[in-house]
């Protein structure tokens, strides 16, 4: 009886997910009552590091802003059905707070960098408006640092998502059809 009560309390207690991305490393902190779990970048990589030889004289290649945006769009296109299911099922049951984003970027061309500045603000406004339809969310604190003379892309972000574990489990269970479809397409 005590175990069932404990499980019931965990399912309906506030569940906070803190997400932090700095220096190309992700850190997730999950808190629910007396349980606290920290997951860092090494957990996602399974401890495997690429030991491929560096063939460009010791310089590390940094993909440009446009390539990173294309990669983000490709990832979104792969997961949009699952994301749509989860958003619809979590509607008004989650809250985003403490969102901070800092972006330092440059394309090497001052004119294009200026256009990217406007595109980022447009993107933020659209995403914020979209998320407001589904969640309680405060406008993020956003720092944009354009670099007009060189190619650079660095991003730092952090935020907290608060919901209940039962809502996450329900959303994952109901969206399993789309998750299985994506896994089937990849393999």
């Amino acid at each position: 009886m005590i175990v069932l009560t404990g499980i019931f309390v965990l399912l309906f207690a506030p569940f906070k997910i803190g997400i932090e991305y700095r220096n190309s490393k992700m850190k997730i902190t999950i808190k629910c009552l007396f349980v606290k779990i920290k997951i860092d970048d090494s957990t996602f990589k399974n401890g495997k590091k690429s030991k491929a030889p560096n063939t460009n004289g010791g310089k590390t290649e940094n993909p440009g802003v446009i390539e990173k945006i294309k990669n983000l769009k490709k990832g979104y296109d792969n997961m949009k059905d699952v994301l749509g299911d989860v958003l619809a099922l979590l509607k008004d049951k989650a809250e985003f707070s403490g969102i901070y984003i800092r972006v330092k970027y440059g394309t090497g061309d001052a004119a294009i960098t200026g256009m990217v500045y406007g595109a980022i603000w447009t993107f933020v406004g659209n995403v914020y408006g979209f998320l407001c339809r589904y969640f309680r969310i405060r406008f993020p604190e956003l720092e944009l640092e354009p670099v007009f003379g060189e190619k650079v892309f660095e991003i730092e972000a952090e935020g907290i998502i608060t919901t209940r574990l039962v809502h996450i489990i329900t959303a994952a269970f109901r969206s399993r059809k789309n998750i299985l479809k994506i896994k089937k397409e990849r393999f």
Side-chain angles (χ1 to χ4, degrees):
M1 186 66 173
I2 294 174
V3 173
L4 288 176
T5 304
I7 291 172
F8 184 79
V9 169
L10 275 176
L11 286 175
F12 290 95
F15 185 77
K16 291 187 178 189
I17 304 168
I19 302 170
E20 184 177 324
Y21 182 81
R22 293 191 194 293
N23 301 323
S24 299
K25 296 186 192 255
M26 173 94 58
K27 183 173 96 175
I28 299 173
T29 305
I30 300 169
K31 297 178 190 175
C32 186
L33 291 178
F34 51 85
V35 178
K36 183 175 181 179
I37 301 170
K38 289 187 179 184
I39 304 169
D40 62 1
D41 206 29
S42 62
T43 305
F44 298 117
K45 295 179 183 177
N46 296 326
K48 297 178 184 176
K49 297 218 175 192
S50 173
K51 294 194 177 188
N54 192 341
T55 58
N56 60 356
K59 295 180 182 177
T60 58
E61 283 195 29
N62 185 8
V65 174
I66 305 300
E67 290 84 18
K68 288 197 177 191
I69 291 172
K70 286 180 183 177
N71 289 340
L72 284 172
K73 184 182 181 321
K74 183 179 172 185
Y76 169 74
D77 288 340
N78 290 337
M79 296 298 290
K80 70 181 175 186
D81 292 336
V82 173
L83 187 61
D85 285 348
V86 170
L87 289 177
L89 293 167
L90 287 176
K91 189 172 187 167
D92 297 326
K93 297 175 181 147
E95 178 181 354
F96 285 66
S97 61
I99 300 172
Y100 167 77
I101 302 169
R102 187 189 72 77
V103 181
K104 180 178 180 180
Y105 68 95
T107 62
D109 182 357
I112 294 174
T113 300
M115 290 189 303
V116 169
Y117 182 85
I120 290 173
W121 275 109
T122 302
F123 176 74
V124 168
N126 287 332
V127 169
Y128 177 72
F130 175 77
L131 290 176
C132 282
R133 286 189 276 173
Y134 293 100
F135 307 109
R136 294 178 304 252
I137 184 170
R138 295 183 193 111
F139 196 80
E141 182 180 332
L142 183 64
E143 291 181 25
L144 297 179
E145 185 179 336
V147 178
F148 295 102
E150 62 183 275
K151 287 186 177 183
V152 64
F153 187 77
E154 298 173 9
I155 188 166
E156 292 181 3
E158 64 183 46
I160 299 171
I161 303 169
T162 306
T163 187
R164 302 201 187 293
L165 189 57
V166 69
H167 300 310
I168 294 172
I169 293 170
T170 304
F173 184 73
R174 289 187 179 171
S175 64
R176 74 187 178 283
K177 181 178 98 178
N178 285 327
I179 293 170
L180 293 173
K181 178 181 150 188
I182 289 170
K183 284 184 178 180
K184 188 177 182 181
E185 289 174 358
R186 286 188 181 173
F187 296 109

